[in-house]
Each structure stands twice: as structure tokens, then as C-alpha cells.
């Protein structure tokens, strides 16, 4: 390699290598440049990108990290090639005829958002997206949507009132029903808004990757994704348990020797529910040819399995017909989130109001984060009173952040499902352009505008749901919905589903998909399982499997909780298996994992992760709950402050969670 190139490598990488490049490190960098035909400048950019991805601001370049960089560059190239191939093979040459069957859409603005009424347009780039047409009927209200307490949707005479409780008549509003870490106190809210934002929010997931083309899944691609996951876990298990290559084998192959088999739990029937008699283990194509073998668990002291779970089992297949497991090997966990000492000090100063704050030496007030999950209104109206009440609560307490997960406009809401609802008068200024975006703008956005007016420095984070009718992207993993024409203030941050965020030093993992309910219906346990507590066991599955939705296949929609629509069937999971890798937890375990579920609210610490199910803000016929997360700043010892090592966040020790009735 030219001497000028070597000099440039020394110039660019010398500082991160401790002053000078060792010969083996230089050789590794030159090898990367030759293999990928890149220059020193581009290689430096890749190094910076790799350092940020690993969460280290000043990573030291040595033989080990240079080799890791080489692997990362190679993996990135392979991902890019697979993505290009996927886009090329998913092109469509013809349109699918439109289904013209009646769907009860009285306003005509739901398009194909109603279940069982698929609508596909021409073979354009947006052919798989929901379309919303101009309504043919709309009603006028005299009162503006910006004042929800005085802005009511009247009950139709034909609507059964049932046991619906009016929101203003709800009992025990503001009552705390569960507390995690009650030894930490909740301070009094400030008397005025803070002078500057106390939260720095950064999205750690790839927005662009989530913008894939939906409804273009190929079974071959899905199969590759599922198979790769088995191979990845086999590598992790081998490293974690220090196993030799010959310790592994195919569970489907007849043998008299005990082996370690890594595979996916599945059911022997497509229709049947998983039980101890229907367990099968699916092998990888590389090790077992993708074969499935009956799994015997009689010799296990205890087990807890679900379809799609990747497991490492020690056992034997003497007959060639079934694999008898004798031990379930522990799955390695992702490392805990950590930051450099300087980052802790930076965020502590931010909480105080900056380095020039008058009380810069005093302990700052803890961070206040309010968490809510849709639906945000009861089944008999679209007044969104619970949402407005939650935003008012956030404004009154000057919360630093408000995290809301969808659905916002729920496709399973009875009024939205049939399109029979009223619109405010100002929404009818241009009747030819009315869509569900208009509904969002006039019924939901005013709550956020009022909050941002009262507290200009609060951060509002919106996470979509596959049940949101304003989303063009209807598969999970899910792209963020566009903010155009929604009338949202600039404080609002729309993210994907799932998403990993950083709020100051806090690593926050969020998915609006109700995985807890589906895992509860799909899992099978026996003997003495590792976790006897259901609410501790279910989140542990996500953490151990490093995924926001490790279940495969999803539970049939018939088995999910009923809705208030005419056919009572919910939308379901809407999983796109070809892109399940986008649902993985990357690099570290999150400090906080938000998993809204119909199972019921809870807050627990599982494997040092604060897991929160805030409950639904509005139940079908009554008000629901939300969560308030109070996070005290980290206090480092003198040794940790002067350390050059990354310091674990230990958020579960300094965070309090209150589950509160709205």
C-alpha cells in the first residue's frame, strides 16, 4: 500500500490508538481497505459509526477492536446486499382488484382500514398503503374540539348504554394503585416551568430501515430470517458456556451421544395450542436441515416454553424419532446499559438547568416521565377525555417527558370501525379534503398543543400501533406515521414501533404491540419453572430472547380479547416475518422496557430492567391507568468519577414507578 496512505492512516487513527498504530493494527486496517475498496477517510467514518453504535465516545483502537470493526463492516455490506436483493424481488407488476364489498364505512373516510376490507391500489410505490377518501356524510358540532370537557359526542339513540361510566363520574381519579421502589419519594412539582429542556432525546433505532414496503413478504426470505436467528443464538450459547464445536449436533439425528441442540420451539399442529405433548424442536438448516423433531421434556425439572422461542437443550435422540431433553441451558443476556462518567455529569448539569444555573451545586430535581397507552377514549364517544386529562396532568406537574403509545385512532373502536361519528365545525372548512388525518388534527392534537403551551420544554413522544388508522404502514415492525397535516407542535417526536430511545442517559425500549397477552395465551410451563410469577416470566422472555416480539407464529386473532366492533374480532399482530430482525434489542438491555398490554398494569424489575405496563388509558367502558416514572440522578463515587471505564446506569435502583388511575 502506498506510503501516503499509510501516513494518512497514522494521522487519522493515531489518536484513538494511543499515539501510534501498532503493526498488527495497521495491517488489519489495510486489509479492510483492500477488501472493500475504500480509502482511509471512509474507513475513519466507519470507525466513528462503529464507536457510536457500541455506545463508546472514545473507543481505543487495538488489535481486538480493529478485528471487530472488520466484522462490522463485512456484516454491514451483507445486510446492504440482502436489502437490495429484497427490494428487487418485491416489485409488483400488476394491481390487485379492489374489494368493493360493503364495510359499513358511513363517512367513507376509512379506506381499507376496516378489518376484512382489503384495498390495494395500482402498482405504484404506495400500492400497499391505506387510502382515505372524502367523506360522503358528516355532522357538525357547535363547540370546538380544543375544549374536550365541554365538547361531547352525543350517544346515538340506537346505542346501548350498557355499564359505561361517564368520564367525569369516574371513581378514585388520581389514586395510586401500584408503586415500584416506594422508598424513593416523589418530590413536589415545580412552581413554574423549567427555563430550558431537561431531557435530551435521541432515537437509537434506524428510522430508514423501518420504512420497508409492506405486504411484500416472501416465504423464502422469512425462512432465512428465522433460520439465521437460530445460528446467531448457537454462537452466543457456545461462547457463553465455553463449548467446543463438537458439543453441538442435530436434535433430529439419531445418536447414542448426548449433544447440545439449539433450535426453535414449535407446535406439532397449526391449529392446536402448545402443550407438553405437542412440543417440537425446529433445527437450523445448517445443522439439522431445518427438520422438526418431537421434544420430550419428562426429564426436565421444570420448563417454560412458547412458540418461536430459541432454546439450547442438552439431550439425546436414541430412537431417531424424538429428542429427550435433560437440561435447558441458560441463554446469555445482553450487557446492561452504561455511560462514561462525563456523560453522567453532563446530564446532571442539564437537570440543574445548565452549568450557569444559580443552584448548580445542589442536587437537581429528579426526572419526571409520564407514560400512557391507547386506546385514549371510551367505546361510546370520540371525545378523548382521558387523553386531555393526562395532558393536563403533565402540564400541571411540568413533566419533563410524555411517552404515549398507540393506538390513537383505533381501528377497533366501534365508531371508527363504521365511520359513524361527528366532526367539529372548523374541520369542515374544506370538506373535499377530510380524512382520518383531519380527525386526528381536530380531536387529538389540541391536547398536545395545550400541554406545550403550558410547558414549552416538555418532550412528547408518540409511538404508533398497527391498529392506528392514520398509519399507512400497517405491519410490525412499523414505520412512524407522517406528521404532515396533523397540526402537531414541534415538541412532539414521532418514532417507530418498536423503538429504542435515549432520554439523557436512560435507555428506553418501547413497543406498542401487546406481546404480553399473546405470550400468556401461547406459553406452556411444567414442573418447577424458573419463574413462578407470570408477570415476571413474560417480560423475561423478551429480555432473554433479545426481541420485542419473540413469539412465532402470533396467536390467532380469534383468541385475543374481544372488541366493541360488530364482529368483535381484533386486528391481530400483523407481523412481517421478513423484517423481524428490526424488532431486536441491539447492543444493550434497555434500562426501561415499556410493554402496554391488556393483561393489566404492572411495574417490575426483571434482570435489572424496569418493565412497565401502564395499562390502557381508557378501557372500553371506563377510565384506565397511566404510569409516572420518577428517575433520580446517578450519584457516582469518587473512584467512578475518575474512572475511564463505562459505568452501569443501575436505573432500577434510582427509579420509582407509580401506576395511577386517570
Amino acid at each position: 500500500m502506498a506510503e501516503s496512505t499509510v501516513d494518512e492512516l497514522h494521522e487519522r487513527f493515531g489518536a484513538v490508538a494511543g499515539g501510534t498504530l501498532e503493526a498488527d493494527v495497521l495491517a488489519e486496517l489495510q486489509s479492510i481497505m483492500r477488501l472493500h475498496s475504500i480509502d482511509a477517510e471512509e474507513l475513519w467514518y466507519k470507525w466513528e459509526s462503529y464507536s457510536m453504535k457500541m455506545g463508546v465516545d472514545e473507543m481505543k483502537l487495538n488489535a481486538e477492536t480493529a478485528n471487530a470493526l472488520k466484522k462490522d463492516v463485512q456484516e454491514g455490506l451483507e445486510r446492504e446486499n440482502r436489502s437490495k436483493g429484497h427490494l428487487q424481488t418485491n416489485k409488483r407488476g400488476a394491481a390487485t382488484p379492489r374489494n368493493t364489498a360493503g364495510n359499513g364505512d358511513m363517512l367513507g373516510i376509512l379506506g381499507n382500514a376496516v378489518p376484512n376490507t382489503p384495498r390495494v391500489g395500482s402498482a405504484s410505490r404506495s400500492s400497499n398503503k391505506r387510502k382515505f377518501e372524502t367523506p360522503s356524510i358528516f355532522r357538525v358540532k357547535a363547540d370546538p374540539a380544543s375544549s374536550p370537557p365541554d365538547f361531547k359526542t352525543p350517544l346515538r339513540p340506537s346505542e346501548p348504554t350498557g355499564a359505561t361510566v361517564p368520564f367525569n363520574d369516574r371513581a378514585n381519579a388520581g389514586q395510586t394503585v401500584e408503586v415500584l421502589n416506594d422508598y424513593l419519594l416523589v418530590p413536589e412539582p415545580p412552581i413554574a416551568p423549567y427555563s430550558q429542556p431537561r431531557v435530551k432525546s435521541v432515537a437509537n433505532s434506524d428510522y430508514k430501515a423501518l420504512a420497508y414496503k409492506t405486504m411484500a413478504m416472501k416465504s423464502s426470505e422469512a425462512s432465512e430470517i428465522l433460520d439465521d436467528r437460530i445460528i446467531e443464538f448457537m454462537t452466543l450459547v457456545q461462547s457463553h458456556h465455553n463449548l467446543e464445536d463438537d458439543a453441538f449436533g442435530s436434535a433430529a439425528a439419531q445418536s447414542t451421544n448426548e449433544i447440545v441442540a439449539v433450535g426453535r420451539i414449535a407446535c406439532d399442529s397449526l391449529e392446536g395450542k402448545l402443550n407438553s405433548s405437542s412440543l417440537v424442536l425446529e433445527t437450523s438448516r445448517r445443522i439439522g436441515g431445518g427438520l422438526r423433531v418431537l421434544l420430550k421434556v419428562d426429564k426436565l425439572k421444570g420448563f417454560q416454553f412458547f412458540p418461536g422461542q430459541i432454546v439450547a437443550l442438552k439431550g439425546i435422540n436414541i430412537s431417531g424419532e424424538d429428542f429427550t431433553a435433560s437440561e435447558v441451558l441458560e441463554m446469555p443476556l445482553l450487557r446492561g446499559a452504561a455511560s462514561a462518567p462525563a456523560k453522567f455529569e453532563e446530564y446532571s448539569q442539564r437537570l440543574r438547568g445548565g452549568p450557569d444555573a444559580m443552584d448548580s451545586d445542589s442536587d437537581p430535581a429528579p426526572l419526571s416521565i409520564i407514560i400512557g397507552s391507547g386506546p385514549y377514549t371510551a367505546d361510546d364517544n370520540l371525545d378523548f377525555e382521558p387523553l386531555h386529562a393526562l395532558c393536563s396532568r403533565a402540564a400541571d406537574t411540568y413533566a419533563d417527558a410524555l411517552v404515549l403509545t398507540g393506538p390513537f385512532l383505533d381501528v377497533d373502536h366501534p365508531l371508527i370501525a363504521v365511520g359513524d361519528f361527528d366532526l367539529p365545525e372548523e374541520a369542515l372548512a374544506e370538506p373535499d379534503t377530510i380524512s382520518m388525518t383531519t380527525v386526528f388534527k381536530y380531536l387529538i392534537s389540541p391536547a398536545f398543543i395545550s400541554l406545550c403551551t403550558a410547558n414549552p420544554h416538555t418532550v412528547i413522544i408518540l409511538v404508533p400501533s398497527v391498529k392506528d388508522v392514520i398509519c399507512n404502514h400497517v405491519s410490525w415492525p412499523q414505520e412512524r406515521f407522517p406528521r404532515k397535516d396533523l397540526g402537531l407542535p414541534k415538541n412532539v417526536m414521532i418514532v417507530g414501533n418498536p423503538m429504542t430511545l435515549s432520554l439523557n442517559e436512560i435507555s428506553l425500549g418501547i413497543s406498542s404491540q401487546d406481546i404480553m397477552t399473546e405470550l400468556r395465551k401461547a406459553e406452556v410451563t411444567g414442573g418447577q419453572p424458573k419463574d413462578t410469577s407470570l408477570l415476571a416470566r413474560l417480560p423475561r422472555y423478551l429480555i432473554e430472547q433479545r426481541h420485542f416480539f419473540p413469539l412465532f407464529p402470533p396467536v390467532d386473532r380469534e383468541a385475543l380479547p374481544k372488541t366493541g366492533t360488530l364482529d368483535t374480532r381484533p386486528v391481530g399482530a400483523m407481523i412481517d416475518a421478513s423484517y423481524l430482525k428490526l424488532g431486536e434489542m441491539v447492543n444493550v438491555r434497555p434500562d426501561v422496557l415499556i410493554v402496554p398490554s391488556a393483561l393489566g398494569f404492572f411495574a417490575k424489575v426483571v434482570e435489572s430492567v424496569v418493565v412497565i405496563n401502564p395499562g390502557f388509558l381508557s378501557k372500553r367502558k371506563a377510565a384506565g391507568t397511566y404510569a409516572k416514572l420518577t428517575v433520580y440522578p446517578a450519584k457516582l463515587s469518587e473512584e467512578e468519577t475518575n474512572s475511564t471505564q463505562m459505568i452501569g446506569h443501575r436505573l432500577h435502583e434510582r427509579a420509582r414507578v407509580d401506576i395511577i388511575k386517570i
Side-chain angles (χ1 to χ4, degrees):
M1 189 168 284
E3 184 176 348
S4 60
T5 303
V6 174
D7 291 339
E8 188 175 358
L9 287 173
H10 278 286
E11 180 182 351
R12 288 188 176 275
F13 291 91
V16 294
T20 182
L21 288 175
E22 300 290 340
D24 54 346
V25 177
L26 179 62
E28 196 72 84
L29 297 179
Q30 292 173 327
S31 173
I32 298 173
M33 294 171 63
R34 284 194 300 270
L35 284 172
H36 301 283
S37 301
I38 59 178
D39 57 20
E41 182 180 17
E42 187 172 353
L43 181 60
W44 170 252
Y45 292 147
K46 291 185 180 297
W47 165 258
E48 286 189 317
S49 175
Y50 175 69
S51 300
M52 287 188 290
K53 185 166 71 173
M54 297 304 294
V56 181
D57 293 335
E58 298 181 1
M59 180 181 288
K60 183 174 177 57
L61 178 61
N62 51 36
E64 181 181 357
T65 54
N67 183 259
L69 172 65
K70 186 176 183 179
K71 292 181 180 178
D72 184 76
V73 173
Q74 180 63 35
E75 290 173 358
L77 180 63
E78 292 174 357
R79 284 195 300 269
E80 183 179 350
N81 290 337
R82 284 198 298 266
S83 176
K84 289 179 179 178
H86 178 74
L87 289 175
Q88 291 172 356
T89 57
N90 280 335
K91 292 180 179 178
R92 293 288 184 267
T96 303
R98 177 180 175 184
N99 185 343
T100 58
N103 59 13
D105 182 6
M106 295 178 64
L107 289 185
I109 62 176
L110 296 179
N112 69 325
V114 181
N116 303 324
T117 57
R119 177 188 176 197
V120 184
S122 63
S124 64
R125 293 181 60 88
S126 61
S127 62
N128 293 327
K129 295 185 176 181
R130 290 173 174 155
K131 303 289 185 180
F132 302 114
E133 299 178 347
T134 304
S136 56
I137 303 174
F138 33 78
R139 298 179 176 84
V140 181
K141 289 186 176 181
D143 299 323
S146 57
S147 304
D150 301 321
F151 176 36
K152 305 298 182 183
T153 304
L155 282 173
R156 314 294 191 276
S158 59
E159 292 176 345
T161 57
T164 302
V165 178
F167 185 75
N168 289 333
D169 296 338
R170 66 195 187 280
N172 303 317
Q175 178 187 9
T176 299
V177 291
E178 185 170 330
V179 179
L180 175 68
N181 291 342
D182 58 358
Y183 60 86
L184 296 172
L185 301 179
V186 178
E188 291 294 325
I191 59 175
Y194 295 103
S195 59
Q196 64 178 28
R198 302 204 311 154
V199 170
K200 180 181 180 181
S201 57
V202 178
N204 297 331
S205 300
D206 189 351
Y207 283 132
K208 293 182 179 179
L210 288 171
Y212 62 88
K213 189 175 183 179
T214 61
M215 293 187 285
M217 181 174 64
K218 290 192 173 183
S219 58
S220 58
E221 295 166 351
S223 176
E224 289 176 5
I225 293 295
L226 296 171
D227 193 68
D228 288 347
R229 187 162 166 79
I230 299 177
I231 299 300
E232 290 171 7
F233 270 84
M234 189 176 74
T235 304
L236 293 170
V237 169
Q238 182 175 12
S239 175
H240 182 70
H241 293 280
N242 297 317
L243 300 173
E244 299 294 334
D245 290 344
D246 57 8
F248 295 90
S250 170
Q254 184 176 5
S255 174
T256 56
N257 297 323
E258 188 176 61
I259 62 167
V260 174
V262 179
R264 177 180 291 102
I265 295 294
C267 184
D268 64 0
S269 170
L270 289 176
E271 292 81 16
K273 186 181 185 300
L274 192 67
N275 57 60
S276 58
S277 300
S278 64
L279 284 167
V280 295
L281 187 68
E282 179 183 331
T283 63
S284 68
R285 285 182 288 191
R286 192 178 84 181
I287 301 297
L291 296 175
R292 289 183 170 187
V293 61
L294 189 64
L295 179 61
K296 296 291 187 181
V297 294
D298 303 338
K299 293 186 177 181
L300 294 177
K301 294 181 179 179
F303 61 87
Q304 47 192 58
F305 296 138
F306 63 88
Q309 181 182 10
I310 308 298
V311 295
L313 304 173
K314 189 177 289 186
I316 192 169
N317 185 348
I318 297 178
S319 65
E321 296 181 356
D322 55 64
F323 183 78
T324 302
S326 58
E327 182 184 354
V328 180
L329 299 186
E330 181 185 57
M331 283 293 179
L333 302 178
L334 285 166
R335 61 188 176 91
S339 297
K343 286 293 182 182
F344 285 103
E345 178 58 28
E346 175 188 334
Y347 293 130
S348 182
Q349 289 291 350
R350 177 181 287 273
L351 293 181
R352 291 188 181 96
D356 299 328
M358 296 181 61
D359 56 348
S360 59
D361 294 330
S362 62
D363 290 336
L367 207 60
S368 174
I369 302 172
I370 291 179
I371 303 165
S373 175
Y376 292 99
T377 191
D379 272 7
D380 63 351
N381 67 78
L382 289 179
D383 295 327
F384 293 94
E385 293 169 297
L387 176 63
H388 284 269
L390 185 66
C391 289
S392 295
R393 180 61 181 166
D396 293 341
T397 59
Y398 299 112
D400 296 296
L402 175 64
V403 180
L404 301 176
T405 67
F408 297 95
L409 290 175
D410 188 359
V411 71
D412 285 335
H413 190 286
L415 300 183
I416 291 178
V418 298
D420 187 11
F421 54 87
D422 297 336
L423 294 175
E425 184 176 3
E426 58 267 35
L428 306 179
E430 297 182 12
D432 293 340
T433 63
I434 292 177
S435 67
M436 293 308 294
T437 299
T438 310
V439 179
F440 189 103
K441 177 180 179 180
Y442 286 95
L443 298 186
I444 295 179
S445 293
F448 303 140
I449 295 172
S450 298
L451 170 56
C452 293
T453 301
N455 185 5
H457 299 306
T458 192
V459 175
I460 303 173
I461 298 170
L462 306 184
V463 184
S465 164
V466 295
K467 297 169 65 177
D468 269 309
V469 296
I470 60 168
C471 290
N472 292 328
H473 196 283
V474 297
S475 296
W476 190 96
Q478 185 180 21
E479 182 186 14
R480 54 183 175 174
F481 54 81
R483 66 185 301 143
K484 183 181 179 181
D485 300 327
L486 294 180
L488 293 170
K490 64 179 182 179
N491 303 47
V492 174
M493 176 182 181
I494 305 173
V495 300
N497 175 32
M499 182 59 57
T500 302
L501 300 166
S502 290
L503 299 182
N504 292 354
E505 83 279 8
I506 305 169
S507 176
L508 190 69
I510 318 170
S511 174
S512 64
Q513 201 80 340
D514 188 356
I515 181 61
M516 296 290 108
T517 296
E518 299 209 25
L519 282 173
R520 174 66 184 92
K521 292 184 176 295
E523 71 162 352
V524 56
T525 62
Q528 299 176 346
K530 182 178 178 181
D531 293 304
T532 56
S533 169
L534 174 69
L535 296 184
R537 185 168 67 245
L538 299 182
R540 191 183 301 275
Y541 289 144
L542 277 63
I543 297 169
E544 288 184 345
Q545 297 291 300
R546 307 177 176 208
H547 205 282
F548 288 99
F549 200 97
L551 178 69
F552 187 85
V555 172
D556 190 294
R557 57 190 290 199
E558 297 284 359
L560 297 177
K562 303 294 185 183
T563 69
T565 55
L566 292 177
D567 65 359
T568 73
R569 293 195 306 164
V571 164
M574 309 286 283
I575 297 295
D576 195 321
S578 297
Y579 292 91
L580 280 178
K581 197 169 183 63
L582 297 176
E584 292 181 349
M585 300 177 189
V586 183
N587 297 331
V588 297
R589 300 196 303 273
D591 294 314
V592 179
L593 182 60
I594 300 175
V595 283
S597 173
L599 273 186
F601 55 79
F602 67 84
K604 289 188 176 295
V605 176
V606 181
E607 297 292 356
S608 302
V609 178
V610 178
V611 184
I612 303 174
N613 171 20
F616 296 155
L617 193 67
S618 178
K619 301 175 184 178
R620 288 181 53 195
K621 296 182 181 296
T625 57
Y626 68 96
K628 181 178 181 181
L629 176 64
T630 304
V631 182
Y632 280 79
K635 293 185 178 180
L636 305 184
S637 65
E638 184 177 350
E639 180 181 354
E640 289 175 327
T641 302
N642 298 326
S643 173
T644 58
Q645 302 296 319
M646 305 289 283
I647 307 299
H649 293 168
R650 301 191 295 270
L651 192 97
H652 62 284
E653 299 175 356
R654 53 188 178 92
R656 171 182 171 131
V657 181
D658 293 84
I659 306 293
I660 306 170
K661 289 187 176 182
I662 187 60

